[in-house]
Amino acid sequence: MEVQREADLRAANTFGVVARCAWRVQVDDAAGLAAFLDDARWRGLPRLVLGGGSNVLFVTERFPGVVLQWRGRGIRLLDADDEHWLVEAAGGEPWHPFVQHCIARGWAGLENLSLIPGTVGAAPVQNIGAYGLELAERFDSLSAVDLETGETRRWGREALQFAYRHSVFKTLPADRYLITAVRLRLPRRSDWRLDYGGLRAALAEQAPARLDAAAIAAAVCRLRRRKLPDPARLGNAGSFFQNPLVPAARAEALRAEYPALPAFPQPDGRVKLSAAWLIERCGWRGRRRGAAGVSARHALVLVNHGGASGAELWALARDIRASVAERFGVTLVPEPRLIGAAP
Ligand code: NAP
């Protein structure tokens, strides 16, 4: 267990905003976690479980509690039958290298989720998704420690209640559970997802010798690198708003007025709208207010041009949300977790 007092979290959030916390504790294994749970120094203080810091905005510059980070590592093949590989990864594994590790061993099925920042442990919480694939489709189960009782429990698919960018962990008390390992069931027969947002075109540009997971992963990486700013160079947390899900009648009314508005019917009858399109139509793409701005490449990505505070980024986000609500009557919901502000 590694403990820091008044820890600097600037490098621990991909927005790169100034932030610190009363305590930062990093644990690598079960023994470290037991020591964390037994320690009285942070008992009763607010707790924040942080993964790669790629889906969080510190609106406040000081979190007055304990930030817990799980650094447990390890990837193993647990089982294989005619249909599937069963792979387990520790929650502290960074997501994209894990995807690459799988592909290198011939375990396909996660290639569309290449280059998503963050950790394996964080992936199920918001059911990460990209290019026509959601984690839920490959999910088997996870292990999580209840930080109130110290008990470890295995959670299966049903228990997770996955939906669009959603799992049960979004409705349970925040920071109560630490996801220590995730199991994925990866298909042995090819199950390529190619019919999405320019993926086939990106593949054609590469003209791969054969269609396989590595070629698809490379195309996804190429698309993402083209469209999304690299947090190592320009602070950001990916999409700042979720794509709104609206009743079908509402979507129809909007489409009557704005025929170009991208709209995707969902299995539950609602319709998913493109948040990026709504924001762009309000004129926000590429705009800048001080060091806080909207990416010129992608209207859904807020960026820190250097030195923006979390409060400045959040103020900008609120103004974007207000203008979309005023013009389209649609309320955008932030995707990253806000620390020190209510969404
Ligand atoms: P895009 O291809 O420009 O499409 C804009 C939006 O329309 C996307 O958000 C996507 O929703 C939706 N969409 C496009 N084609 C669709 C289809 N065939 N069926 C259903 N929905 C469709 O999107 P993009 O911004 O470049 O992103 C590409 C992919 O990467 C998307 O899947 C996006 O979710 C993912 N991504 C995620 C983040 C993040 O931080 N969470 C950041 C960047 C990109 P979906 O978002 O539901 O896919």
Side-chain angles (χ1 to χ4, degrees), residues 241 258 278-285 287 289 294 315-332:
F241 294 103
Y258 306 98
L278 299 171
I279 294 168
E280 195 164 341
R281 283 300 288 256
C282 291
W284 286 101
R285 175 134 83 112
R287 266 171 69 180
R289 191 186 288 160
V294 180
L316 177 65
R318 285 200 315 262
D319 287 351
I320 293 169
R321 180 167 67 178
S323 68
V324 168
E326 193 183 310
R327 176 147 179 203
F328 298 106
V330 173
T331 304
L332 296 178

Side-chain angles (χ1 to χ4, degrees), residues 114-315:
S114 293
L115 220 57
I116 294 184
T119 58
V120 166
V125 175
Q126 68 154 339
N127 182 20
I128 58 169
Y131 298 99
L133 180 73
E134 288 186 348
L135 180 83
E137 297 173 73
R138 307 295 191 226
F139 181 84
D140 176 79
S141 58
L142 61 76
S143 295
V145 177
D146 182 336
L147 296 169
E148 295 297 320
T149 65
E151 280 164 22
T152 299
R153 197 182 120 194
R154 178 159 297 285
W155 301 59
R157 269 189 71 86
E158 289 299 305
L160 263 286
Q161 298 173 22
F162 285 123
Y164 180 65
R165 301 287 187 274
H166 179 87
S167 79
V168 72
F169 287 105
K170 288 215 161 181
T171 57
L172 291 169
D175 305 296
R176 170 140 181 193
Y177 299 93
L178 180 73
I179 298 172
T180 53
V182 178
R183 290 184 185 177
L184 297 162
R185 192 166 288 278
L186 304 177
R188 293 190 70 156
R189 275 184 225 146
S190 29
D191 179 21
W192 312 135
R193 305 291 171 85
L194 304 175
D195 297 319
Y196 198 96
L199 194 46
R200 275 186 198 277
L203 267 167
E205 276 171 39
Q206 283 169 207
R210 54 186 283 239
L211 181 64
D212 59 12
I216 297 166
V220 168
C221 290
R222 175 193 283 244
L223 281 172
R224 290 186 72 104
R225 289 201 176 101
R226 205 180 278 162
K227 268 185 118 169
L228 296 166
D230 177 358
R233 293 186 192 169
L234 190 61
N236 75 84
S239 306
F240 195 86
F241 294 103
Q242 298 173 18
N243 286 322
L245 297 170
V246 301
R250 179 92 196 88
E252 227 169 89
L254 279 167
R255 291 265 284 179
E257 206 174 334
Y258 306 98
L261 168 63
F264 305 94
Q266 299 299 290
D268 67 3
R270 290 182 296 172
V271 175
K272 182 179 73 183
L273 305 177
S274 164
W277 192 92
L278 299 171
I279 294 168
E280 195 164 341
R281 283 300 288 256
C282 291
W284 286 101
R285 175 134 83 112
R287 266 171 69 180
R288 193 172 164 160
R289 191 186 288 160
V294 180
S295 166
R297 291 200 226 166
H298 200 315
L300 205 45
V301 180
L302 263 58
V303 293
N304 178 2
H305 287 285
S309 68
E312 285 166 338
L313 283 156
W314 178 226

Side-chain angles (χ1 to χ4, degrees), residues 4-7 9 20-25 36 41-48 58 60 62-68 339:
Q4 282 171 279
R5 182 101 230 213
E6 291 302 326
L9 297 174
R20 63 199 165 89
C21 58
W23 297 97
R24 178 186 190 180
V25 182
F36 168 82
R41 284 177 285 180
W42 34 80
R43 199 161 295 146
L45 291 184
R47 185 171 51 221
L48 172 63
F58 285 94
T60 174
R62 183 177 183 275
F63 176 69
V66 56
V67 167
L68 173 63
I339 308 303

